[in-house]
Each structure stands twice: as structure tokens, then as C-alpha cells.
Amino acid sequence: MPHDPSPSVVFAEAIQEHLRIISEFRSQSAVLEQIARVMSSSLHAGGKILWCGNGGSAADSQHLAAELVGRFRRERRGLPSIALSTNTSILTAIGNDYGYERVFSRQVEAIASRGDILVGISTSGNSQNVLAAFETARMMGVVTVALTGAGGGKMAGVADYLVEVPSNDTARIQEGHILAGHMLCDWVEIDCTNPASQSLADAAQTVEQH
């Protein structure tokens, strides 16, 4: 016989816990502003933002890269951002030749430049391939940002900036990560929206319409 889930457990408790965690997440505002300013500075200097993670964090990486390359809320120029979890040929080739722990670090080595930003997303903060990517990034002068759960795991000791969602529950942490990512995208988009970039966006839209 199928179980009959309790609405008070599935919905009410989840919403209550989500609201509690997001309310406590206000304490991360200062570091989020620091990260947003560093991201904007990198983009203005011709840099790019890289994202990596596994599973749901890989999906978040792709989501947030898309917000910058496409748009979040406003018309503006496309911003250079890459999720390192999207090219299956690269992932499987590196995994086969070097091991899964190198799938992100090898890509950082290949495409990152000094002054770029690497955002590693891990609910535990202990993902070995993200940690390896951070090590490579540090040697290359790439700024590292960790989005983790409570405590930050091993990533807390190696990241330049740490955003930790105050929870040990994977689902609640992921909800905090996407909120943090959206806020960062919002800041960067506002900072990178100017009359020149607006003109480029308008011109591109005109070409599409014709």
C-alpha cells in the first residue's frame, strides 16, 4: 500500500525550515557584497566567471552561468560565464584519462586566466573535484568563491570567499545557493548595465526582428 504523506511534514515543515534558514542567511550579506564587487571588477577588466559542482550543484552552475550569458532581469551585453559541467566529451575524456577528481581542474587549467572568478558549489564543501579545481585556480591567480552548507567543509580552508548556508540539509542548502547566485547575478547585471551595453543589446534585438 502506498504511504499517505502528511502535508504538515512535506509542506509546512519544509516551508518553515526554509524561511528560518533564509532569514539567518542575512548574515552573509557582507561577504556576498564583496563577491559581487570582485565579480563585477573581473568582468569590467575582461575576465570571466566559471562555475562548477556535482549533481544539483552542476545544475545550479549551468543555471547561473546562463543568467549572465543571457540575461537575468535587464537588457545588456552578454557577460562571459561558463559552467564546467556541460561538455560531456570533455568530462568523460578527462574522467577516463585522469580520473573524475580532475574533471574541473583540467578545464580551469585550460580556459581560466589570472583575475577570473571560479565559483565552486558543494553542499558538503568536500567535493574532491571542486577542491582540486580550487587548488589549480589558486596557482593561476584565479579568485575562488565557495558556496557550501554550514561550516564550509574543506573548501572553507582554501576558498578566497566563503558563503555558507546555515544548514546541513541538502535541499535547504541548494535553495540558499540559488538565492545567493541570483543576488550575485542581480548585482553584476546592474553594475554591467550602462548606455553603451544597452545600445548593443538594442542593436542586436533590432537585427533579430529584421
PDB file of all heavy atoms in Angstrom, residues 120-135:
ATOM      1  N   GLY A 120      32.803  27.522  -6.879  1.00  0.00           N
ATOM      2  CA  GLY A 120      32.611  26.105  -6.628  1.00  0.00           C
ATOM      3  C   GLY A 120      31.408  25.909  -5.723  1.00  0.00           C
ATOM      4  O   GLY A 120      31.326  26.537  -4.656  1.00  0.00           O
ATOM      5  N   ILE A 121      30.472  25.075  -6.153  1.00  0.00           N
ATOM      6  CA  ILE A 121      29.239  24.854  -5.393  1.00  0.00           C
ATOM      7  C   ILE A 121      29.246  23.426  -4.852  1.00  0.00           C
ATOM      8  O   ILE A 121      29.363  22.469  -5.616  1.00  0.00           O
ATOM      9  CB  ILE A 121      27.995  25.089  -6.272  1.00  0.00           C
ATOM     10  CG1 ILE A 121      28.078  26.462  -6.966  1.00  0.00           C
ATOM     11  CG2 ILE A 121      26.726  24.990  -5.443  1.00  0.00           C
ATOM     12  CD1 ILE A 121      26.916  26.744  -7.908  1.00  0.00           C
ATOM     13  N   SER A 122      29.107  23.292  -3.538  1.00  0.00           N
ATOM     14  CA  SER A 122      29.121  21.973  -2.907  1.00  0.00           C
ATOM     15  C   SER A 122      28.363  22.054  -1.592  1.00  0.00           C
ATOM     16  O   SER A 122      28.727  22.850  -0.719  1.00  0.00           O
ATOM     17  CB  SER A 122      30.560  21.510  -2.656  1.00  0.00           C
ATOM     18  OG  SER A 122      30.591  20.348  -1.852  1.00  0.00           O
ATOM     19  N   THR A 123      27.320  21.265  -1.436  1.00  0.00           N
ATOM     20  CA  THR A 123      26.537  21.333  -0.200  1.00  0.00           C
ATOM     21  C   THR A 123      27.364  20.887   1.005  1.00  0.00           C
ATOM     22  O   THR A 123      27.187  21.396   2.103  1.00  0.00           O
ATOM     23  CB  THR A 123      25.258  20.489  -0.301  1.00  0.00           C
ATOM     24  OG1 THR A 123      25.589  19.132  -0.620  1.00  0.00           O
ATOM     25  CG2 THR A 123      24.332  21.034  -1.388  1.00  0.00           C
ATOM     26  N   SER A 124      28.275  19.947   0.803  1.00  0.00           N
ATOM     27  CA  SER A 124      29.125  19.473   1.898  1.00  0.00           C
ATOM     28  C   SER A 124      30.378  20.324   2.067  1.00  0.00           C
ATOM     29  O   SER A 124      30.959  20.387   3.152  1.00  0.00           O
ATOM     30  CB  SER A 124      29.545  18.025   1.654  1.00  0.00           C
ATOM     31  OG  SER A 124      30.434  17.944   0.546  1.00  0.00           O
ATOM     32  N   GLY A 125      30.810  20.947   0.978  1.00  0.00           N
ATOM     33  CA  GLY A 125      32.077  21.667   0.988  1.00  0.00           C
ATOM     34  C   GLY A 125      33.274  20.751   0.853  1.00  0.00           C
ATOM     35  O   GLY A 125      34.408  21.203   0.997  1.00  0.00           O
ATOM     36  N   ASN A 126      33.028  19.480   0.544  1.00  0.00           N
ATOM     37  CA  ASN A 126      34.109  18.496   0.499  1.00  0.00           C
ATOM     38  C   ASN A 126      34.255  17.807  -0.850  1.00  0.00           C
ATOM     39  O   ASN A 126      34.973  16.795  -0.941  1.00  0.00           O
ATOM     40  CB  ASN A 126      33.891  17.439   1.586  1.00  0.00           C
ATOM     41  CG  ASN A 126      33.975  18.010   2.981  1.00  0.00           C
ATOM     42  OD1 ASN A 126      34.821  18.839   3.271  1.00  0.00           O
ATOM     43  ND2 ASN A 126      33.063  17.592   3.851  1.00  0.00           N
ATOM     44  N   SER A 127      33.612  18.295  -1.892  1.00  0.00           N
ATOM     45  CA  SER A 127      33.686  17.650  -3.202  1.00  0.00           C
ATOM     46  C   SER A 127      35.124  17.683  -3.709  1.00  0.00           C
ATOM     47  O   SER A 127      35.706  18.759  -3.910  1.00  0.00           O
ATOM     48  CB  SER A 127      32.768  18.363  -4.194  1.00  0.00           C
ATOM     49  OG  SER A 127      31.422  18.290  -3.767  1.00  0.00           O
ATOM     50  N   GLN A 128      35.700  16.506  -3.945  1.00  0.00           N
ATOM     51  CA  GLN A 128      37.116  16.419  -4.279  1.00  0.00           C
ATOM     52  C   GLN A 128      37.450  17.112  -5.597  1.00  0.00           C
ATOM     53  O   GLN A 128      38.495  17.756  -5.716  1.00  0.00           O
ATOM     54  CB  GLN A 128      37.548  14.948  -4.325  1.00  0.00           C
ATOM     55  CG  GLN A 128      37.572  14.269  -2.971  1.00  0.00           C
ATOM     56  CD  GLN A 128      38.534  14.948  -2.004  1.00  0.00           C
ATOM     57  OE1 GLN A 128      39.670  15.264  -2.354  1.00  0.00           O
ATOM     58  NE2 GLN A 128      38.089  15.163  -0.780  1.00  0.00           N
ATOM     59  N   ASN A 129      36.580  16.997  -6.577  1.00  0.00           N
ATOM     60  CA  ASN A 129      36.902  17.621  -7.868  1.00  0.00           C
ATOM     61  C   ASN A 129      36.785  19.147  -7.796  1.00  0.00           C
ATOM     62  O   ASN A 129      37.499  19.856  -8.509  1.00  0.00           O
ATOM     63  CB  ASN A 129      36.051  17.037  -9.000  1.00  0.00           C
ATOM     64  CG  ASN A 129      34.574  17.045  -8.715  1.00  0.00           C
ATOM     65  OD1 ASN A 129      34.108  17.640  -7.744  1.00  0.00           O
ATOM     66  ND2 ASN A 129      33.806  16.365  -9.560  1.00  0.00           N
ATOM     67  N   VAL A 130      35.920  19.646  -6.947  1.00  0.00           N
ATOM     68  CA  VAL A 130      35.837  21.104  -6.762  1.00  0.00           C
ATOM     69  C   VAL A 130      37.060  21.595  -5.992  1.00  0.00           C
ATOM     70  O   VAL A 130      37.646  22.628  -6.319  1.00  0.00           O
ATOM     71  CB  VAL A 130      34.531  21.485  -6.045  1.00  0.00           C
ATOM     72  CG1 VAL A 130      34.466  22.998  -5.837  1.00  0.00           C
ATOM     73  CG2 VAL A 130      33.313  21.023  -6.845  1.00  0.00           C
ATOM     74  N   LEU A 131      37.459  20.864  -4.973  1.00  0.00           N
ATOM     75  CA  LEU A 131      38.674  21.216  -4.226  1.00  0.00           C
ATOM     76  C   LEU A 131      39.899  21.222  -5.139  1.00  0.00           C
ATOM     77  O   LEU A 131      40.744  22.126  -5.057  1.00  0.00           O
ATOM     78  CB  LEU A 131      38.881  20.227  -3.079  1.00  0.00           C
ATOM     79  CG  LEU A 131      37.962  20.396  -1.869  1.00  0.00           C
ATOM     80  CD1 LEU A 131      37.992  19.139  -1.005  1.00  0.00           C
ATOM     81  CD2 LEU A 131      38.373  21.614  -1.050  1.00  0.00           C
ATOM     82  N   ALA A 132      39.990  20.240  -6.023  1.00  0.00           N
ATOM     83  CA  ALA A 132      41.114  20.185  -6.965  1.00  0.00           C
ATOM     84  C   ALA A 132      41.095  21.387  -7.904  1.00  0.00           C
ATOM     85  O   ALA A 132      42.142  21.956  -8.235  1.00  0.00           O
ATOM     86  CB  ALA A 132      41.070  18.888  -7.765  1.00  0.00           C
ATOM     87  N   ALA A 133      39.903  21.782  -8.324  1.00  0.00           N
ATOM     88  CA  ALA A 133      39.774  22.959  -9.190  1.00  0.00           C
ATOM     89  C   ALA A 133      40.224  24.216  -8.463  1.00  0.00           C
ATOM     90  O   ALA A 133      40.872  25.097  -9.045  1.00  0.00           O
ATOM     91  CB  ALA A 133      38.331  23.098  -9.662  1.00  0.00           C
ATOM     92  N   PHE A 134      39.905  24.315  -7.172  1.00  0.00           N
ATOM     93  CA  PHE A 134      40.328  25.462  -6.376  1.00  0.00           C
ATOM     94  C   PHE A 134      41.854  25.511  -6.250  1.00  0.00           C
ATOM     95  O   PHE A 134      42.454  26.586  -6.297  1.00  0.00           O
ATOM     96  CB  PHE A 134      39.701  25.403  -4.982  1.00  0.00           C
ATOM     97  CG  PHE A 134      38.323  26.015  -4.900  1.00  0.00           C
ATOM     98  CD1 PHE A 134      37.523  26.144  -6.024  1.00  0.00           C
ATOM     99  CD2 PHE A 134      37.821  26.458  -3.695  1.00  0.00           C
ATOM    100  CE1 PHE A 134      36.260  26.710  -5.955  1.00  0.00           C
ATOM    101  CE2 PHE A 134      36.560  27.031  -3.600  1.00  0.00           C
ATOM    102  CZ  PHE A 134      35.776  27.159  -4.726  1.00  0.00           C
ATOM    103  N   GLU A 135      42.472  24.367  -6.080  1.00  0.00           N
ATOM    104  CA  GLU A 135      43.934  24.318  -5.972  1.00  0.00           C
ATOM    105  C   GLU A 135      44.596  24.821  -7.256  1.00  0.00           C
ATOM    106  O   GLU A 135      45.553  25.603  -7.221  1.00  0.00           O
ATOM    107  CB  GLU A 135      44.384  22.893  -5.665  1.00  0.00           C
ATOM    108  CG  GLU A 135      43.984  22.413  -4.278  1.00  0.00           C
ATOM    109  CD  GLU A 135      44.289  20.938  -4.056  1.00  0.00           C
ATOM    110  OE1 GLU A 135      44.897  20.323  -4.963  1.00  0.00           O
ATOM    111  OE2 GLU A 135      43.921  20.400  -2.997  1.00  0.00           O
TER     112      GLU A 135
END
